[in-house]
Amino acid sequence: MGCGGSKDGNPLNEASAEEAAEQAEMKALMDLRMTESGQVAKRGINKVGFMTKQGSFRKNWLVRFFTLEDGKLSYFRTENDEVPLGIYVLSKCVLLPKDQSQPEMNEIAVLGHINKTFRMKCEREDATNDWREAIGSWCADEQ
């Protein structure tokens, strides 16, 4: 048998062995993603970078460093801070549609589980679209 080949040298058997290995790997990944309730856990996109967020009380806009990891959107005063100023668990949130009346805003709005809207924005539309896709990949599908 050659390196990585099948016992009989038949390329069809080789392909079948590769497919079986891929299927076994996918099953193992799915098993890892099972939650306690038996449902498949949602996997999304992780991301880090700066965005501007709207303040909770004064409604002013502040530049913050964001990390999006394993469905948790955290924000910090600076990228060197270790303790976040806030954390949103996105599986309990809904990504709101883009406001078509203000397309120049590049705003991202997330509705939290307590019906509070968290607003962020980026300077560039491509950055907004990247963040929107990443955040949306972790959010609940509907309210």
Side-chain angles (χ1 to χ4, degrees):
M1 173 168 84
C3 182
S6 64
K7 290 181 184 179
D8 61 5
N10 184 340
L12 292 177
N13 290 343
E14 245 176 80
S16 297
E18 286 178 23
E19 287 175 8
E22 284 179 17
Q23 289 175 351
E25 185 178 341
M26 286 298 292
K27 183 181 181 324
L29 285 173
M30 291 299 285
D31 290 344
L32 287 174
R33 293 171 47 197
M34 295 299 279
T35 63
E36 289 177 14
S37 65
Q39 296 180 357
V40 175
K42 190 169 187 175
R43 292 291 302 162
I45 301 167
N46 293 331
K47 188 168 178 57
V48 297
F50 286 94
M51 285 192 287
T52 305
K53 74 169 278 302
Q54 188 175 45
S56 297
F57 300 106
R58 287 188 241 159
K59 303 298 181 196
N60 54 334
W61 290 90
L62 304 163
V63 175
R64 296 290 185 239
F65 182 76
F66 285 82
T67 63
L68 175 53
E69 187 172 6
D70 296 331
K72 293 180 184 154
L73 181 65
S74 305
Y75 62 95
F76 305 81
R77 191 166 277 115
T78 72
E79 63 185 300
N80 297 323
D81 290 353
E82 293 184 21
V83 179
L85 296 171
I87 300 172
Y88 286 84
V89 178
L90 295 177
S91 63
K92 299 177 180 179
C93 299
V94 175
L95 179 64
L96 298 176
K98 187 174 182 177
D99 185 354
Q100 298 301 328
S101 67
Q102 297 181 323
E104 71 283 352
M105 278 287 287
N106 290 328
E107 187 177 281
I108 302 164
V110 176
L111 181 64
H113 69 285
I114 57 171
N115 287 329
K116 183 176 176 182
T117 302
F118 181 63
R119 298 184 186 281
M120 302 146 285
K121 62 182 177 180
C122 301
E123 289 184 19
R124 296 183 339 267
E125 185 175 4
D126 62 332
T128 303
N129 292 339
D130 288 348
W131 274 105
R132 177 175 272 289
E133 179 183 5
I135 291 168
S137 73
W138 290 104
C139 284
D141 293 330
E142 55 189 58
Q143 291 179 327

